[in-house]
Every structure is written in C-alpha cells, then in structure tokens.
Amino acid sequence: MTAELSQIWVYLAASPLLGLTVTLLAYQGAFWIYQRSGNNPLANPVLIAVTALVLFLTATGTTYETYFAGAQFVHFLLGPATVALAIPLYTQFKRVRAMLLPVLAGLLAGSLTAIVSAVLIGRLFGASQSTQLSLAPKSVTTPIAMGIAERIGGIPSLTAVLVIVTGILGALGARYVFDAMKLHDPAIRGFAIGIASHGIGTARAFQVNEQTGAFAALAMGLNGALTAMLVPALAHWLSPLIGH
C-alpha cells in the first residue's frame, strides 16, 4: 500500500495539475473553516490557505517552480477577476460621482501615506536600501507592485510577499480600526481598505456588502495607477531617507 501511494505521489508531483489542485483544495478547505467560524475576519481564508500551502510544499519538498507550473492558471484569472470588479462599481456610479472630490483627496492622501510610511518604518528598523524600495509599493496589487519594485531597484519577489502580508493584515484588522474610529459609512470603509489592502482587502469588502466592495475596487484600481506614477517620481526625493 505504501509503495502504491509512493507511485501515485511521484506521478502527481510530475504533473502541472498538482499546483492547481492543491491550491483549489487549500482554499476550499480554508473557506469552509471561515464559514464555520461565522465569517470571523480572524479566520481569513487567504491566510489559512497560504499557510496550508507553505506547510504542504515544505513537507513534500516541492519547489515553487513545480507548484507554479500548475497554479499559474489561477494567477492568470487575476486579470479577468480585476476587470469584473467594474460591474459592481457601475451600480454605485452615482454615489462615486457625487463623492468625486473626497475620493480624489482620499486617494492622494492614502497613496502618499502608504508609500512614505512604509519607507520610513523600514529605515527605522534598519532595513537595507533594496528592502526599503521593495516596501514602497506594498499597498497595490501584486503584478503592479512587482513591476514598480523592479523599476526602482527593489526586490520583486520580496515585494510580492509584502503585498500579500499587507492585504491579509488589512482584511483581518480593518473592521476593528474602523469601529474604533467610529467610521460606519460603507463607502468610506471600502475605499480605505481598497487603498491600503488591494485585492485581498477588496475581497473581504465584498463579503461585507456590495457598496463596500465597489468602493474598495475603485480604490484598488486608482491606487495601483497612482502608485505606479508616484513611486518612480518620488524615488529621487525618497533617496535621502533611504540612504545607501
């Protein structure tokens, strides 16, 4: 029996479908736990799924390249899923238009705060120059953040990890921060989490209600575009803060 299981594992490990299958099973299991917890944000399915995948890959000695050969299909779906966020945003278009000036002001303030605070915190803890540069775009969605990091001299792979950590922390803690600040407007809550926590935060916002999700999607898209313009432009200004 052990020999048969070993042969099955050797076959599966060589198949590109391994990464896709394991990813879907990990998320499905994590989502089941999330539902059983009463949708408690502390049981965030992304956090649980990522942890389970890391443990699985470590235990089986599976390389990231082997895993991604199959899981890249899920990565490909990130593009269409992002575009699909325009549908709920369209249903909230009148509210967005009425709040145009506050939206633009909040976008600029949130984007600048995310960039500068990340660099300053990195410098405070003695992070290297490349690490600080990798921190700068950590509040935008992964593909954009990695491209920005590569352009300004950061480490794209490190930026990807920082983006995921930022998103999970936002999805876990945003509700408690909003409640402490007595912010109850779903549009404001959604826009704030979309700027700070990109796709993972936006997914959490849609679980709250459609309006929160729509404003989170708007913020995620706008912040990605603005950060892509601001970080390279601010790189020269930030260089004295970063040091060498």
Side-chain angles (χ1 to χ4, degrees), residues 42-214:
L42 296 178
N44 184 273
V46 175
L47 174 61
I48 296 173
V50 167
T51 302
L53 284 171
V54 169
L55 291 175
F56 173 80
L57 296 179
T58 302
T60 60
T62 304
T63 64
Y64 175 76
E65 289 74 19
T66 300
Y67 162 74
F68 192 70
Q72 61 182 329
F73 179 71
V74 179
H75 181 74
F76 166 78
L77 291 176
L78 179 63
T82 302
V83 174
L85 293 175
I87 297 174
L89 181 59
Y90 175 76
T91 64
Q92 301 293 328
F93 182 72
K94 290 183 179 179
R95 181 92 195 270
V96 172
R97 186 171 57 184
M99 298 176 63
L100 183 59
L101 289 179
V103 162
L104 294 178
L107 172 66
L108 182 60
S111 186
L112 285 173
T113 300
I115 296 166
V116 177
S117 64
V119 172
L120 289 177
I121 291 172
R123 180 172 177 78
L124 178 64
F125 284 93
S128 65
Q129 179 184 10
S130 58
T131 299
Q132 291 178 55
L133 290 171
S134 302
L135 278 164
K138 53 91 181 149
S139 286
V140 299
T141 191
T142 305
I144 297 175
M146 292 178 70
I148 295 171
E150 184 176 13
R151 180 178 176 184
I152 64 176
I155 306 169
S157 57
L158 175 59
T159 297
V161 173
L162 293 169
V163 167
I164 294 172
V165 171
T166 300
I168 290 175
L169 289 176
L172 290 176
R175 186 182 76 175
Y176 304 108
V177 174
F178 294 147
D179 289 345
M181 297 177 67
K182 301 186 184 305
L183 293 175
H184 303 296
D185 189 317
I188 295 175
R189 291 170 74 119
F191 197 78
I193 196 172
I195 289 179
S197 303
H198 50 81
I200 297 176
T202 298
R204 171 60 187 163
F206 272 109
Q207 292 169 353
V208 176
N209 61 58
E210 183 176 312
Q211 187 178 49
T212 303

